[in-house]
Amino acid sequence: MKIMVIDGNSILNRAFYGIRQLTNHEGLPTNAVYGFLATLFKLQDEERPDRTIVCFDVKEKTFRHLKFDTYKATRKGMPDELAAQLPLTKQVLDALGIVRCEKAGYEADDLLGTISRRADEHGDTCVVVTGDRDSLQLVGGGTTVMLVSTRMGQTTYQTYDTAAFREKYGFDPIRLIDLKALMGDSSDNIPGVPGIGEKTAMQLLHDFGTLEGVYANIDDERIKKGARTKLQNGEQSAKDSYWLATIDRSVPLELDVEHLPAQDIDETTLYDLLTRLEFKNFIKRFDLSGESVSAPRLPELKTERVENVLEAFNLMDSLTDCDRVYAIVPETLGAVCLLDGDTAHILFAEAFGDAWNDILRRLFDGSLPLVLHDAKAAVRALLQRGMDPKGIVFDTAIAAYLLDPTQSGYDLPRLALAYCNAELPELDLDDPAAVSLLGGQEDTEKAVAQHAGALRAIYAEAADRIEQLGMRKLYYEIELPLLRVLAEMEAAGCAVEPDELRAFGDKLDVRIRDLTEQIYHDADGEFNINSPKQLGEVLFEKLGLHAPKKTKTGYSTNVEVLERIAEDHPIVPRILEYRKLTKLKSTYVEGLLKVISPVDGRIHTHFQQTVTATGRLSSTDPNLQNIPVRTELGRELRRMFVAPDENHVLIDADYSQIELRVLAHISQDEHMIEAFKHGQDIHAATAAKVYHVPLEEVTPQMRSSCKAVNFGIVYGISDFSLAQDIGVTRKEAGEFIKTYLDTYPGVKKYMEDIKQTGREQGYVTTLFGRRRALPELKSKNFNMRSFGERVAMNTPIQGTAADIIKIAMVRVRDRLLRDGLQSRLILQVHDELILEAPKDEQETAMRLLTEEMENAFRMDAPLVAEAKAGHSWYDAK
DNA sequence: TTCCTCACG
DNA sequence: ACGTACGTGAGGAAA
């Protein structure tokens, strides 16, 4: 029989530190549990043990180390976040039917040792899985040790049997104990012999075999005088250490290794647990279904099909008096579900034919206070049918986003689980088959009703919490109105020049082919240049170029690396150019050609309002927020985004330094505010201050450094990254930052305060009350905490800037309408707004746009926006 | 799917 | 000593 015995604490620990802190909807921290299970399943798949046992330390305080008073003081405890995940892990293991082994007073190590010894004696083979190198002393007989190590988030496994161990270390596994007795182990609080390090210890063992051997030959000439004195003085410590380092292999365990129960999964409990933890892929792995599970359900609703137009209008009339009308309206507008008390009324477009548009028009005529989920998609569709949807008073997706912007999604089933602990069936009303009147309706209708019920429950909860958290204005005056603006922008789309785009692509192609040939020639053979793996092999093995140490899973071949070795071989600059061109070709030329609407020949992006952690928008399908601009060639692409005809222009206005202005305002730093008030070039002004020279004497070099620091400050700076960015030593960067912060004491104070406030409150906010929770600030893990601190510094800045441009967008749109102009907003790129305007409105629209952007919010460092007009995006920027 | 790379603010 | 900028989305390769 093959037994796998796992050091639960060690693997859990690795999982915890390997992955960034995650919490699920219930607020359960889950990363360690997840990582642990992932490791466990992977090992079970690969090793196929007959039985698995997981060992845990029972209590840190009962370690045998503690018998030595001197050694216990600095023993590190388990971080709280991890401790919180321990019981969950054990619950899952129990549900999986995996034997757990714990014994008060013993470390998991000792349990591993004891179990492996017993298995060995019984003639079984035993794989010990742990992250702790100490356990390698267990290797021998039928016992192998699999060492799990996590580097850069990548987990690797290395199995040691006696031979493998000997090859690597040059002595027998059991001698690890002797080695530790000599050299000690600071992480385990084993003192060893003071003054003896790894080198000496290895030499001693090599010469004398064992600790005992060393002391038996203490006068041997191979031991140097200094070492001898140290050994003599440290003899007691060596003996203690020997004992400390020895894993106890005869723990009195009741566990009967010979008669382990077969693994028996408790499906119901497992499903419950995995659902709570939101580990969907594991649920899939075990093919669990929730049928036998009793998750709380929302009240049952009756479903009623609305069959004719009259009935539909009567229903809507009767709903007009309602406080709120809960409606499920899919993007395709193929069906609608309206909740009325305990009845879900379902209307299918198919049943109404031409009258369907009348029904939609009535539904959205503004007389029904509609609560929707993800309304933007429906609004866009309605706009595209020439309607003017009104009456949307709440969107649960946006509300849930404001309540916690860091979730990975906000679909209705997920919210139902988080807000009502209810399970909702999957439902895709955008799939025409689902809303077809033909066949299989029952289930769909039931599901729709349940979704509507959940919508109501979520609304009640979410609306309340929006109030409580002080986000009413943000929600009702910024995000909700913005929804309509975004829908209009999406529906409007942007005109493009497909022919020129294709021509540009062909031009790229010629050059790409050329480069490909040269690269193959340089490499003396064909390979896939797009494959970082193959490229790495060619550059660093075949051509023998020096690989600048960057390596994760192979060689790193990114721009930074390639630029450093560009001089070394003509292939490198060619690869750099190849990369540039293929990026332009595939992502932009081909990518954009694919998404030109066959209906109107324009490109309609989708602005995501519920994605970013900071409150920014994002753009997808296609992403129009990352159209190249930084290189001249890439910038050419902007010539393809144009005004639709000779009578129109594009107007592009962007905020000047909005984030730094926000920083100046939030931090109330006098000097920075003054600089902005006087309209100074902020980077130059900073340089003048930092270098103590008059503004006129600031060199481009000085300005550029300060520009980097200004950026860094906004991101939550560190000396390392700044050093990397401006090419100075880390120390110089550190001093530079210090000087900078002394120059702007207000900024310094803000950076300190925000971290503290964030830690105390558990979240940070923007000036408009947008909130981001930051549990990382309390983490004991340095990296995680540092990340939290940078985020705490950055989010209020980036987020406030996002709030401001959102306000501007709503105002620009409203004012264009109010002033009866034909100009329309079509794009937003974080600090930039783009209008499509009739030429005769050009001047008016430019003024309006600049005004509304600058007046969106009054700051002590005033907002400045600059507009430019042109036929294409290239010309308007 | 996940990683790597690279485009933007 | 730790490993580093903040926020995104898309395409191609490899698993």
Side-chain angles (χ1 to χ4, degrees):
Chain A
M1 185 150 88
K2 180 172 180 179
I3 297 175
M4 182 160 83
V5 46
I6 299 177
D7 182 341
N9 290 73
S10 153
I11 302 302
L12 204 56
N13 213 41
R14 255 154 219 293
F16 180 71
Y17 287 109
I19 317 175
R20 201 210 276 171
Q21 179 81 26
L22 305 166
T23 25
N24 76 352
H25 283 95
E26 285 187 53
L28 291 171
T30 60
N31 61 334
V33 189
Y34 188 91
F36 179 89
L37 291 178
T39 306
L40 172 70
F41 295 149
K42 184 184 159 86
L43 290 172
Q44 287 199 325
D45 286 348
E46 284 173 7
E47 296 290 316
R48 304 233 153 257
D50 300 294
R51 299 286 187 274
T52 305
I53 306 174
V54 183
C55 302
F56 290 98
D57 304 340
V58 172
K59 259 193 195 164
E60 311 154 37
K61 299 258 172 206
T62 56
F63 288 161
R64 67 178 192 283
H65 297 76
L66 302 193
K67 289 182 194 162
F68 284 85
D69 282 353
T70 15
Y71 306 140
K72 76 177 173 192
T74 57
R75 179 84 203 172
K76 283 182 203 138
M78 194 184 247
D80 295 343
E81 297 101 317
L82 178 53
Q85 302 183 56
L86 194 56
L88 275 167
T89 311
K90 293 184 180 177
Q91 282 177 42
V92 178
L93 285 173
D94 291 344
L96 283 166
I98 288 176
V99 176
R100 277 196 290 128
C101 179
E102 308 169 351
K103 175 102 181 159
Y106 294 92
E107 281 186 89
D109 262 1
D110 302 322
L111 307 180
L112 300 177
T114 302
I115 293 168
S116 61
R117 182 183 57 84
R118 288 195 193 172
D120 204 18
E121 285 168 4
H122 187 246
D124 295 326
T125 56
C126 185
V127 187
V128 173
V129 182
T130 177
D132 186 353
R133 260 175 202 285
D134 293 352
S135 304
L136 286 174
Q137 65 182 265
L138 301 177
V139 170
T143 301
T144 53
V145 171
M146 182 184 281
L147 213 51
V148 183
S149 60
T150 314
R151 247 177 295 142
M152 311 273 214
Q154 279 290 66
T155 307
T156 54
Y157 305 84
Q158 209 167 2
T159 305
Y160 289 92
D161 54 17
T162 311
F165 185 93
R166 284 200 62 102
E167 188 178 329
K168 171 143 187 192
Y169 291 88
F171 51 84
D172 282 334
I174 193 75
R175 294 302 150 224
L176 261 185
I177 305 172
D178 306 72
L179 183 68
K180 279 227 169 159
L182 286 166
M183 65 180 277
D185 181 349
S186 59
S187 73
D188 238 357
N189 288 318
I190 296 177
V193 177
I196 301 286
E198 187 180 351
K199 283 272 153 57
T200 319
M202 290 286 271
Q203 188 58 47
L204 289 169
L205 280 188
H206 177 261
D207 292 341
F208 307 106
T210 62
L211 180 68
E212 219 174 320
V214 173
Y215 278 102
N217 298 289
I218 192 75
D219 294 323
D220 192 288
E221 60 187 14
R222 282 172 291 177
I223 302 180
K224 289 198 198 109
K225 212 161 102 204
R228 182 174 302 122
T229 316
K230 285 174 191 158
L231 284 166
Q232 281 164 338
N233 289 339
E235 185 162 3
Q236 189 54 44
S237 180
K239 283 182 179 158
D240 291 350
S241 299
Y242 187 89
W243 186 79
L244 282 169
T246 307
I247 292 175
D248 183 353
R249 303 194 75 171
S250 42
V251 177
L253 283 180
E254 296 82 52
L255 188 81
D256 185 355
V257 179
E258 294 163 36
H259 301 98
L260 290 168
Q263 193 174 332
D264 186 20
I265 296 177
D266 175 355
E267 293 200 3
T268 315
T269 314
L270 186 60
Y271 179 82
D272 261 348
L273 275 167
L274 295 181
T275 309
R276 270 185 68 205
L277 291 163
E278 293 162 28
F279 293 168
K280 293 198 179 130
N281 44 347
F282 292 152
I283 293 178
K284 222 185 282 168
R285 174 194 163 97
F286 289 100
D287 199 21
L288 299 170
S289 67
E291 274 161 31
S292 53
V293 178
S294 57
R297 298 213 166 259
L298 294 163
E300 281 285 312
L301 297 169
K302 284 180 281 190
T303 61
E304 222 155 77
R305 212 69 151 255
V306 179
E307 306 280 358
N308 62 63
V309 181
L310 186 63
E311 216 180 304
F313 275 83
N314 284 340
L315 170 65
M316 289 188 281
D317 288 345
S318 75
L319 287 173
T320 306
D321 298 331
C322 288
D323 183 35
R324 292 288 181 265
V325 176
Y326 306 94
I328 302 289
V329 186
E331 182 173 2
T332 50
L333 308 175
V336 163
C337 174
L338 298 172
L339 198 55
D340 178 17
D342 60 356
T343 309
H345 301 275
I346 300 169
L347 298 74
F348 286 98
E350 277 184 41
F352 296 92
D354 294 341
W356 184 241
N357 276 346
D358 299 330
I359 290 174
L360 290 175
R361 209 170 275 121
R362 168 70 181 91
L363 182 62
F364 286 96
D365 69 2
S367 66
L368 279 68
L370 297 168
V371 174
L372 303 181
H373 181 82
D374 189 12
K376 176 166 67 66
V379 170
R380 171 179 168 164
L382 290 160
L383 289 169
Q384 282 173 328
R385 291 190 183 200
M387 299 181 198
D388 175 20
K390 296 197 193 96
I392 298 167
V393 298
F394 204 88
D395 183 316
T396 45
I398 296 175
Y401 167 67
L402 287 195
L403 292 170
D404 179 2
T406 57
Q407 294 295 321
S408 59
Y410 301 90
D411 54 274
L412 218 34
R414 205 188 293 232
L415 297 191
L417 199 66
Y419 287 78
C420 331
N421 194 25
E423 279 184 59
L424 235 52
E426 294 291 326
L427 173 70
D428 184 10
L429 286 181
D430 292 328
D431 172 8
V435 291
S436 162
L437 282 169
L438 305 167
Q441 278 310 285
E442 289 268 314
D443 284 352
T444 310
E445 284 187 17
K446 266 218 146 56
V448 178
Q450 280 178 275
H451 278 237
L455 180 68
R456 177 164 59 192
I458 294 163
Y459 163 75
E461 178 66 22
D464 223 39
R465 278 158 64 173
I466 291 280
E467 298 289 331
Q468 284 165 14
L469 299 189
M471 295 196 282
R472 189 176 67 225
K473 284 188 91 163
L474 176 67
Y475 184 75
Y476 294 100
E477 293 178 23
I478 301 180
E479 297 292 347
L480 212 51
L482 183 68
L483 170 171
R484 167 67 185 247
V485 181
L486 296 178
E488 289 175 2
M489 291 166 68
E490 290 180 12
C494 183
V496 288
E497 298 278 11
D499 295 334
E500 290 187 24
L501 192 51
R502 266 185 287 270
F504 184 61
D506 292 340
K507 220 175 77 186
L508 292 175
D509 248 354
V510 174
R511 179 74 184 135
I512 289 170
R513 263 195 279 270
D514 213 33
L515 282 166
T516 309
E517 224 167 85
Q518 293 183 44
I519 289 169
Y520 289 160
H521 178 77
D522 290 338
D524 195 22
E526 298 194 357
F527 66 102
N528 188 343
I529 312 170
N530 293 322
S531 159
K533 188 163 169 260
Q534 293 182 38
L535 179 62
E537 282 158 13
V538 168
L539 292 181
F540 305 122
E541 286 169 18
K542 197 166 170 187
L543 297 181
L545 291 171
H546 169 65
K549 51 201 160 182
K550 290 198 71 178
T551 165
K552 279 167 193 165
T553 53
Y555 306 102
S556 175
T557 65
N558 62 28
V559 201
E560 203 189 313
V561 170
L562 294 187
E563 265 168 7
R564 261 194 285 173
I565 57 168
E567 312 272 278
D568 302 347
H569 196 289
I571 195 175
V572 182
R574 290 190 181 118
I575 285 164
L576 282 165
E577 193 186 351
Y578 175 91
R579 282 254 178 93
K580 270 229 154 62
L581 301 190
T582 50
K583 173 81 179 177
L584 293 178
K585 181 82 193 332
S586 65
T587 303
Y588 296 103
V589 175
E590 282 166 10
L592 289 173
L593 284 171
K594 257 186 276 186
V595 291
I596 296 175
S597 160
V599 179
D600 58 9
R602 297 167 67 102
I603 290 182
H604 304 264
T605 183
H606 296 73
F607 287 106
Q608 306 301 326
Q609 203 181 348
T610 60
V611 168
T612 72
T614 54
R616 276 189 175 182
L617 299 175
S618 86
S619 159
T620 58
D621 309 299
N623 181 354
L624 291 188
Q625 290 181 326
N626 72 345
I627 302 301
V629 67
R630 292 174 190 171
T631 67
E632 191 41 55
L633 184 67
R635 198 174 202 154
E636 286 294 311
L637 276 161
R638 297 192 168 214
R639 295 190 195 276
M640 318 300 160
F641 293 84
V642 293
D645 54 52
E646 290 312 306
N647 300 320
H648 287 80
V649 285
L650 296 185
I651 299 172
D652 184 314
D654 65 337
Y655 279 117
S656 154
Q657 303 295 348
I658 184 169
E659 293 195 346
L660 280 176
R661 286 170 198 267
V662 167
L663 171 63
H665 179 84
I666 293 184
S667 69
Q668 282 293 301
D669 186 286
E670 288 174 45
H671 300 125
M672 201 179 271
I673 290 176
E674 276 313 300
F676 278 123
K677 273 195 176 155
H678 294 122
Q680 289 175 356
D681 169 344
I682 187 63
H683 304 312
T686 303
K689 279 204 163 302
V690 170
Y691 290 104
H692 300 293
V693 297
L695 202 53
E696 311 80 60
E697 287 173 31
V698 171
T699 65
Q701 180 59 242
M702 289 153 82
R703 183 183 182 278
S704 155
S705 304
C706 285
K707 184 174 174 182
V709 183
N710 275 328
F711 268 100
I713 287 288
V714 169
Y715 294 150
I717 200 162
S718 79
D719 51 7
F720 181 93
S721 327
L722 181 67
Q724 185 118 14
D725 192 28
I726 60 179
V728 297
T729 68
R730 187 173 168 162
K731 195 165 159 236
E732 287 167 325
E735 278 158 15
F736 201 80
I737 293 170
K738 204 167 164 302
T739 316
Y740 180 99
L741 291 176
D742 288 341
T743 310
Y744 293 120
V747 172
K748 183 176 183 186
K749 183 158 175 9
Y750 163 74
M751 294 300 176
E752 285 160 4
D753 289 351
I754 192 70
K755 287 186 262 187
Q756 195 187 332
T757 325
R759 191 166 47 244
E760 284 165 7
Q761 299 180 141
Y763 62 89
V764 294
T765 60
T766 67
L767 275 183
F768 297 86
R770 187 187 302 277
R771 176 185 287 247
R772 175 171 179 182
L774 277 176
E776 294 94 341
L777 285 175
K778 288 186 181 161
S779 169
K780 293 192 178 109
N781 177 298
F782 177 88
N783 290 326
M784 203 184 285
R785 194 174 59 249
S786 302
F787 171 72
E789 290 174 351
R790 293 194 295 271
V791 169
M793 295 185 269
N794 173 262
T795 296
I797 301 172
Q798 191 182 116
T800 301
D803 295 341
I804 290 172
I805 198 166
K806 283 178 169 178
I807 295 171
M809 291 168 75
V810 172
R811 293 207 190 164
V812 167
R813 180 267 184 187
D814 285 352
R815 175 124 173 251
L816 286 171
L817 214 63
R818 188 154 23 95
D819 292 359
L821 298 177
Q822 296 301 307
S823 304
R824 293 294 173 250
L825 262 177
I826 57 171
L827 292 175
Q828 186 253 41
V829 193
H830 309 309
D831 66 352
E832 171 187 5
L833 293 178
I834 297 165
L835 295 184
E836 182 180 295
K839 254 189 188 149
D840 56 13
E841 285 180 11
Q842 182 175 321
E843 295 307 318
T844 321
M846 281 174 78
R847 215 166 27 242
L848 181 154
L849 182 60
T850 314
E851 255 175 51
E852 293 302 335
M853 285 174 76
E854 291 185 346
N855 296 335
F857 179 56
R858 193 158 298 285
M859 290 203 303
D860 295 321
L863 288 168
V864 171
E866 275 157 37
K868 197 180 165 198
H871 171 65
S872 75
W873 196 356
Y874 184 99
D875 306 311
K877 180 89 181 155

